[in-house]
């Protein structure tokens, strides 16, 4: 449930991967954000620095959305590219010792697995 709007409808995770329109749109969003963050075919370290701060939260949501829309491979590729370039970032760390991005990615995989059971 939304902490901001408790009356907002709840979306079932398993329904996201079944929605063909959403499935296609999430790939378009992924491509746009990948370029915005400098994670395209040519890595742009200056743009990548934008993940420090609020864009880091957006990055987490992109990873989660990719997983929930059945694009786990794209999410993993994106996360791996960022983790390979941590020298230019100041990521928020989770109490488990991994970046918050890694934690949320893994958590979304668990939630997806639970939803599909």
């Amino acid at each position: 449930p939304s902490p901001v709007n408790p009356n907002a409808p709840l979306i079932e995770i398993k329904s996201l991967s079944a929605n063909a329109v959403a499935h296609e749109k999430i790939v378009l969003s992924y491509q746009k954000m990948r370029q915005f963050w400098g994670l395209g075919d040519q890595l742009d370290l200056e743009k990548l620095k934008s993940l420090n701060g609020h864009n880091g939260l957006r990055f987490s949501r992109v990873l989660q959305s990719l997983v929930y829309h059945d694009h786990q491979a794209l999410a993993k590729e994106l996360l791996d590219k960022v983790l390979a370039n941590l020298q230019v970032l100041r990521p928020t760390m989770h109490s488990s010792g991994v970046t918050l991005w890694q934690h949320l990615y893994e958590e979304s995989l668990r939630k997806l697995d639970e939803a599909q059971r």
Side-chain angles (χ1 to χ4, degrees):
S2 168
V4 178
N5 182 359
N7 297 321
L10 296 177
I11 298 173
E12 294 288 326
I13 292 172
K14 62 185 174 184
S15 69
L16 294 175
S17 62
N19 185 320
V21 173
H23 193 76
E24 180 183 317
K25 296 292 183 186
I26 198 74
V27 172
L28 293 174
S29 296
Y30 154 79
Q31 292 167 341
K32 180 177 270 191
M33 294 311 294
R34 200 178 106 183
Q35 294 302 320
F36 176 77
W37 288 318
L39 294 164
D41 296 331
Q42 298 285 45
L43 191 65
D44 184 333
L45 294 179
E46 284 306 308
K47 283 186 178 181
L48 185 60
K49 289 178 185 177
S50 73
L51 287 181
N52 292 321
H54 189 71
N55 274 308
L57 298 174
R58 288 187 178 115
F59 184 73
S60 298
R61 290 192 296 272
V62 167
L63 291 174
Q64 291 169 307
S65 293
L66 285 167
V67 169
Y68 295 149
H69 286 89
D70 204 28
H71 291 292
Q72 295 88 340
L74 291 178
K76 179 73 169 125
E77 175 188 321
L78 196 61
L79 178 60
D80 287 347
K81 205 171 216 184
V82 166
L83 294 178
N85 292 282
L86 283 182
Q87 75 277 6
V88 299
L89 299 170
R90 296 181 313 273
T92 302
M93 301 303 285
H94 186 261
S95 59
S96 64
V98 299
T99 66
L100 185 58
W101 301 317
Q102 289 166 284
H103 173 75
L104 292 172
Y105 166 76
E106 292 165 5
E107 182 180 88
S108 62
L109 289 174
R110 282 191 297 277
K111 285 182 181 180
L112 181 63
D113 184 52
E114 289 170 9
Q116 292 176 337
R117 289 185 197 171

